[in-house]
Amino acid sequence: MENILQEIGIENYIYLSTLLFCVGIFGVLYRRNAIVMFMSIEIMLNAVNLLLVAFSTYHQDATGQVFVFFSMAVAAAEVAVGLAILVAVYRNLNNIDIDNLKNLKG
């Protein structure tokens, strides 16, 4: 694993993670579809996980990789709950546009 990191370099992982995080931010800020926003949040989370694994490999410490494992488990639960909420909203409103969800305020 150390040979791969030496060939590619930690800088490239940092650039890729930054690019993925920026794409995720763009998706959250400029798209109004709830599913696209969930996907963008997942892209941002995966960018952070990629960076954690790269730094963990670079420093030869498995702590970052263990943290990524638990982070992915929590993210899977978050997506399951979020999609369940979106399905419930779609059944009531027949639309999942974020602008239309502002009408649901109590």
Side-chain angles (χ1 to χ4, degrees):
M1 196 61 142
E2 185 177 336
N3 294 334
I4 292 173
L5 198 57
Q6 288 176 351
E7 288 180 21
I8 296 174
I10 191 92
E11 309 86 29
N12 293 325
Y13 287 105
I14 295 171
Y15 295 144
L16 177 63
S17 180
T18 304
L19 178 69
L20 286 173
F21 198 81
C22 290
V23 167
I25 288 175
F26 178 77
V28 169
L29 292 178
Y30 293 111
R31 298 300 299 252
R32 296 286 81 185
N33 190 345
I35 294 176
V36 174
M37 290 179 75
F38 270 127
M39 289 172 44
S40 298
I41 291 170
E42 288 299 316
I43 288 174
M44 290 168 45
L45 183 64
N46 285 329
V48 172
N49 287 340
L50 173 68
L51 201 57
L52 278 172
V53 169
F55 281 135
S56 175
T57 304
Y58 182 73
H59 292 293
Q60 297 177 350
D61 184 22
T63 306
Q65 295 174 8
V66 171
F67 185 71
V68 167
F69 177 73
F70 288 115
S71 172
M72 290 178 79
V74 170
E78 171 224 344
V79 167
V81 170
L83 288 177
I85 291 171
L86 283 179
V87 167
V89 167
Y90 182 76
R91 285 182 180 174
N92 289 331
L93 298 179
N94 293 331
N95 196 354
I96 55 172
D97 192 23
I98 298 298
D99 293 330
N100 293 340
L101 295 180
K102 293 179 182 174
N103 297 333
L104 296 176
K105 290 182 181 176

